[in-house]
Amino acid sequence: AQKITQTQPGMFVQEKEAVTLDCTYDTSDPSYGLFWYKQPSSGEMIFLIYQGSYDQQNATEGRYSLNFQKARKSANLVISASQLGDSAMYFCAMRGLTGANSKLTFGKGITLSVRP
Amino acid sequence: DSGVTQTPKHLITATGQRVTLRCSPRSGDLSVYWYQQSLDQGLQFLIQYYNGEERAKGNILERFSAQQFPDLHSELNLSSLELGDSALYFCASSVSGAGSHGELFFGEGSRLTVL
């Protein structure tokens, strides 16, 4: 079984500053992938970044980076130089990379508000 | 634009009714997933199809059913609707193989309101 935990209350950040959104996970899969998605108020789910459990380096994708600490089972998303358009709900998700079941398990999400 | 198309975008119906939600995956994607998003339950995985066959089942009620057709589009059928079925229903697709991390690409969702 897989579990994603996102316990931060609503987060606020000043425009142009960096913010970290926390995610911890639990899984029995020896190999797995971690994902972050953004859901703006319009509702669509937008894929942001991926981290494989055996990747040697932390993933980066533009202003998004993933602070992956395998021993601590955490995969925090760092957004640098926040923009007003970053205000949204952010979901951490994971799936095992072995076996046929490739569904994503999602956390409950964190609301981020960027202040001008 | 993710390339995944869902219809209808909004649907209002009454308790006891039946609705069908439709999804066209991205071109070339063989897997289709259905998720339900509600305020109290978050994003819940319902069911996955791969190339026309059911691959995995999640928290899908017996009143709900789905299928994937030969052209790879999928339909989610919700019957005997209850107030608690009001939610945003997402379809997502993914491609397997080299170069893919298996990320899901989501449609814009179908917002169902049961009155």
Side-chain angles (χ1 to χ4, degrees), chain A residues 34-39 44-51 61 64 104, chain B residues 2 101-106:
Chain A
L34 296 153
F35 304 77
W36 277 91
Y37 282 81
K38 171 185 178 181
Q39 186 178 37
E44 72 269 31
M45 294 285 287
I46 303 167
F47 167 67
L48 296 178
I49 195 167
Y50 168 86
Q51 177 81 48
E61 196 68 52
Y64 304 109
L104 289 187
Chain B
S2 68
H101 300 306
E103 62 267 33
L104 302 188
F105 293 90
F106 284 78

Side-chain angles (χ1 to χ4, degrees), chain B residues 41-101:
Chain B
Q41 295 291 327
L43 267 161
Q44 295 289 315
F45 168 70
L46 295 179
I47 198 163
Q48 177 201 356
Y49 281 84
Y50 178 83
N51 203 19
E53 295 194 1
E54 183 183 304
R55 176 65 66 88
K57 219 168 192 177
N59 302 319
I60 188 166
L61 300 172
E62 286 190 9
R63 300 184 286 109
F64 297 179
S65 64
Q67 53 184 327
Q68 185 180 28
F69 295 87
D71 67 352
L72 300 179
H73 92 270
S74 178
E75 291 181 356
L76 178 67
N77 300 296
L78 315 175
S79 62
S80 303
L81 286 168
E82 302 174 359
L83 296 177
D85 297 328
S86 296
L88 186 56
Y89 290 84
F90 282 110
C91 169
S93 70
S94 72
V95 62
S96 302
S100 165
H101 300 306

